[in-house]
Amino acid sequence: MNRVYIKTYGCQMNERDSEAVAAMLRARGYRIVGDEGDCDIMLLNTCSVRDAAEQKAIGKAGYVSHRKKKNPDFVLGILGCMAQNRGASLLDQLPDVDLIVGTQKFHQVPDYLDNLRAARDAGVPIGETIIDIAEEAGSQNTIKDHFEPGAGENGEAGEVAPQVNAFVSIQQGCNMDCAFCIVPKTRGDERSRPMDDIVTECRGLAARGVKEVTLLGQIVTSYGRRDYAHTNGISPFVQLLERVHEIDGIERIRFTSPHPRGFKEDLAAAYGRLPKLCEYVHLPMQSGSNRILKAMNRPYSRERYKEIVDSLRAVRPDMYFSTDIIVGFPGETDEEFEQTRELFEACNYDMAYIFKYSIRSGTPAAGMGDQIPDEVKEHRNAVLLDILKRNSERRNAVLLGTVEEVLVEGPDKTGQRFTGRTRGNRVCIFDANPRLIGQLVPLKIERASVSTLYGELVLQGVER
Ligand code: 5AD
């Protein structure tokens, strides 16, 4: 009766939070299972960034709550951003949910499940829904040290392999107030973890064989701005990169998501001096129109954005870029979209996440007039996707025949071959010996689809 299935929606931060919840539950004797049909407790860790993400989780929860009819002891919990955003009002649509836990209370989940189990064991039917979406001082420090020994011993899918890469939370929340964005509401004020704690966590990960870390936060480039001083013009975020860079065993460093405003000279220069910093940057543009950027409350211009891209390419000519774009922000005209299209084309992205604007109630943009019709958003979305496809094919064509450094992550989806990523974050599929999991190996690229590279390991005198 202690088998837990966790389903995660949305961003890497959510994945990280789910990992942390899983680790805390394992430490309490729960089993984390990979088969949702085979669980006693289902936790949905949700996303609120667009309406579609919320509807998906609500649909799932509605469907799953039927299980309670057959099994009244079945426990259903909603965690994370949608829990925070909607709170008790979720019960209007989902009266059978047992647990609603917000983004600052993940660490309470084991206690709440213990309470529900104790009540059930005492023969008390599950009664009132437990709802906890309060703020908690210091909650940014509760998501840490999640890879406790013994994780994966229960035969969960994909967890027996050694840990190769890890997400490391460096900060929670955001104070930027972009007009479209619900995150300041769901994740709260910007709070950074102490630099020493992060470095200690990364050292621990390296000692366990982790080679690649991705530093996570809603606005990582603002990391520590209230807690640490600049030293010789170097921001706290770049100081953190320097310290992680010094750790033996960590071979690759990534981060997400930054804000263009944080790409000052010190960060561009860091790409020149920190070779472990991967030549892949996710740099959310949102729009290429200065009027729309202003309406979005994004404090940069298209000219400044392009300057950042150029400055990074100047330091690392082989830099890979990805971005986030919103099409159909209220009032976006054809000419303004054309400006986005033009800048999108000029930046030559390798990857992009293109979103149709979604009204988020309580955000400034929700109240703006001139909402854009769906068909227009759809068309603008398709235009950008088409450019992206061509960019990606062009990039892959250049890679054919070259040798790329790949970090072997584990078996691919089919279980027949192996998967890993290049420093530029391209996914590769190849044959390998399982012993190479966690190793950096040279891969000769032989074939490519739009999103995946296929190749053969170049290992002289070593068994593949
Ligand atoms: N509608 C559409 N996309 C959004 N994003 C954030 N809020 C919205 C919204 N209301 C996108 C932004 C952000 C990414 C995580 O999600 O592009 O960078």
Side-chain angles (χ1 to χ4, degrees):
M1 300 307 279
N2 66 348
R3 295 163 305 169
V4 184
Y5 178 77
I6 306 178
K7 185 167 174 64
T8 308
Y9 297 84
C11 66
Q12 287 141 320
M13 183 68 88
N14 286 6
E15 284 179 39
R16 174 70 185 75
D17 292 336
S18 291
E19 284 174 5
V21 170
M24 290 184 283
L25 288 174
R26 278 195 200 98
R28 286 278 178 97
Y30 289 84
R31 279 181 57 203
I32 307 299
V33 298
D35 175 3
E36 63 177 287
D38 196 29
C39 69
D40 313 297
I41 299 165
M42 189 179 297
L43 302 175
L44 306 180
N45 190 10
T46 56
C47 169
S48 283
V49 84
R50 280 168 297 279
D51 187 52
E54 288 201 346
Q55 294 311 326
K56 229 166 142 179
I58 289 174
K60 178 80 182 171
Y63 175 72
V64 167
S65 58
H66 291 302
R67 283 170 74 166
K68 288 179 84 75
K69 298 220 164 66
K70 268 196 230 144
N71 174 9
D73 287 340
F74 181 77
V75 171
L76 176 60
I78 298 198
L79 315 184
C81 288
M82 187 172 71
Q84 193 71 43
N85 190 30
R86 295 192 174 212
S89 73
L90 277 171
L91 294 174
D92 299 343
Q93 279 168 286
L94 301 167
D96 293 330
V97 169
D98 304 296
L99 195 61
I100 296 178
V101 177
T103 53
Q104 305 200 19
K105 296 290 183 171
F106 285 113
H107 58 290
Q108 298 286 10
V109 170
D111 278 354
Y112 292 143
L113 289 183
D114 281 355
N115 293 349
L116 288 170
R117 275 210 308 179
R120 187 196 53 210
D121 292 348
V124 183
I126 298 176
E128 296 263 294
T129 305
I130 298 174
I131 303 177
D132 189 356
I133 57 169
E135 285 184 18
E136 180 162 320
S139 63
Q140 71 275 20
N141 300 326
T142 58
I143 298 294
K144 58 179 179 186
D145 301 336
H146 53 299
F147 298 110
E148 86 288 3
E153 275 169 2
N154 301 324
E156 303 92 293
E159 292 203 339
V160 250
Q163 179 85 22
V164 173
N165 42 23
F167 294 132
V168 175
S169 169
I170 66 168
Q171 165 214 56
Q172 290 277 326
C174 183
N175 285 5
M176 285 306 284
D177 285 325
C178 298
F180 49 80
C181 191
I182 194 77
V183 166
K185 179 173 175 200
T186 60
R187 289 282 177 175
D189 276 344
E190 213 174 288
R191 291 104 60 213
S192 297
R193 280 178 70 193
M195 209 182 287
D196 285 345
D197 285 8
I198 298 167
V199 172
T200 304
E201 180 176 345
C202 291
R203 277 208 200 100
L205 290 165
R208 303 174 59 106
V210 168
K211 295 262 177 19
E212 178 181 300
V213 290
T214 302
L215 307 181
L216 288 184
Q218 270 83 26
I219 176 158
V220 288
T221 36
S222 296
Y223 169 80
R225 70 190 163 112
R226 294 201 216 105
D227 314 290
Y228 303 96
H230 278 58
T231 48
N232 306 321
I234 303 215
S235 67
F237 178 60
V238 174
Q239 293 169 32
L240 174 65
L241 291 175
E242 288 172 349
R243 289 193 53 192
V244 175
H245 196 271
E246 280 169 15
I247 299 173
D248 282 341
I250 298 293
E251 304 288 350
R252 291 177 169 189
I253 304 170
R254 306 182 188 278
F255 56 82
T256 202
S257 281
H259 192 291
R261 202 176 73 150
F263 274 84
K264 308 259 163 54
E265 175 55 31
D266 63 326
L267 184 50
Y271 278 94
R273 32 186 199 92
L274 304 178
K276 295 178 181 179
L277 201 49
C278 287
E279 49 273 20
Y280 168 84
V281 177
H282 179 68
L283 190 62
M285 182 225 282
Q286 312 299 3
S287 168
S289 147
N290 286 339
R291 191 192 75 82
I292 294 288
L293 285 170
K294 206 158 185 190
M296 288 176 162
N297 199 21
R298 301 277 296 177
Y300 52 90
S301 63
R302 58 184 273 118
E303 293 76 18
R304 172 63 192 143
Y305 184 93
K306 184 63 169 47
E307 207 174 85
I308 295 168
V309 169
D310 292 344
S311 71
L312 291 168
R313 285 213 164 102
V315 182
R316 292 264 186 99
D318 53 351
M319 189 73 92
Y320 289 67
F321 283 94
S322 70
T323 195
D324 288 342
I325 305 279
I326 297 177
V327 295
F329 185 80
E332 185 186 64
T333 64
D334 285 343
E335 293 71 37
E336 285 162 348
F337 171 68
E338 175 56 22
Q339 297 229 298
T340 298
R341 194 201 59 74
E342 195 191 273
L343 186 56
F344 188 86
E345 189 126 40
C347 291
N348 194 13
Y349 296 104
D350 298 281
M351 180 58 196
Y353 303 88
I354 301 156
F355 304 111
K356 290 172 271 186
Y357 172 70
S358 165
I359 297 178
R360 308 284 57 218
S361 121
T363 61
M368 291 178 184
D370 205 4
Q371 295 287 336
I372 304 298
D374 269 350
E375 317 82 76
V376 176
K377 289 183 195 166
E378 197 59 63
H379 172 71
R380 291 175 184 172
N381 189 50
V383 168
L384 297 186
L385 281 178
D386 188 56
I387 297 172
L388 178 64
K389 180 163 175 280
R390 277 185 278 132
N391 283 357
S392 190
E393 285 167 350
R394 196 163 53 219
R395 172 69 94 168
N396 288 346
V398 174
L399 289 172
L400 286 184
T402 65
V403 174
E404 289 279 305
E405 178 200 274
V406 171
L407 176 59
V408 185
E409 292 176 11
D412 71 351
K413 276 189 231 134
T414 67
Q416 306 294 309
R417 309 186 76 193
F418 285 80
T419 181
R421 277 172 306 143
T422 66
R423 287 173 56 97
N425 216 22
R426 290 298 227 214
V427 173
C428 304
I429 306 280
F430 46 88
D431 288 323
N433 188 306
R435 171 169 77 61
L436 294 177
I437 293 173
Q439 302 296 313
L440 293 160
V441 293
L443 183 77
K444 179 147 189 235
I445 310 301
E446 292 175 333
R447 192 164 68 77
S449 68
V450 178
S451 59
T452 310
L453 302 169
Y454 299 85
E456 193 166 322
L457 295 182
V458 193
L459 300 176
Q460 276 164 355
V462 181
E463 193 197 340
R464 284 187 198 127

